[in-house]
């Protein structure tokens, strides 16, 4: 059958630390019904992602169809440190 493909829609590719990024995966192809996972954990197609340490994180979304055909894709999201302000007099 047709292969399973995954595309993403994200609220933003980066956010200040402490913020959240809403991401949705769109699955096409294959044979419904699908099962989904984010980074290996069963889930829905949408995720609200938040990290506590600044950096770039790679998230993997996978979809398995009714025939156990798998499609996956990765998205890189960046959590940037909150700027500090110092006053020099």
């Amino acid at each position: 059958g047709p292969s399973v493909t995954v595309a993403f829609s994200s609220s933003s590719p980066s956010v200040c630390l402490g913020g959240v990024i809403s991401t949705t995966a769109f699955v096409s192809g294959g044979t419904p019904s699908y099962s989904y996972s984010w980074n290996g954990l069963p889930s829905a197609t949408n995720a609200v992602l938040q990290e506590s340490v600044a950096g770039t994180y790679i998230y993997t979304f996978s979809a398995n169809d009714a025939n156990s055909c798998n499609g996956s894709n990765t998205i890189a999201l960046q959590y940037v440190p909150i700027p500090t302000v110092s006053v020099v007099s």
Side-chain angles (χ1 to χ4, degrees):
S3 59
V4 178
T5 59
V6 176
F8 292 106
S9 171
S10 182
S11 60
S12 172
S14 65
V15 69
C16 284
L17 204 54
V20 298
I21 299 176
S22 298
T23 304
T24 302
F26 296 94
V27 178
S28 59
T31 305
S33 64
Y34 305 100
S35 61
Y36 310 110
S37 66
W38 279 100
N39 285 357
L41 299 174
S43 70
T45 56
N46 59 317
V48 176
L49 305 167
Q50 185 175 29
E51 298 292 344
S52 58
V53 177
T56 299
Y57 291 81
I58 307 294
Y59 300 95
T60 301
F61 179 86
S62 296
N64 286 306
D65 75 356
N67 296 321
S68 297
C69 294
N70 177 269
S72 65
N73 202 348
T74 58
I75 187 170
L77 302 175
Q78 188 174 28
Y79 298 84
V80 295
I82 296 171
T84 56
V85 176
S86 57
V87 176
V88 178
S89 56

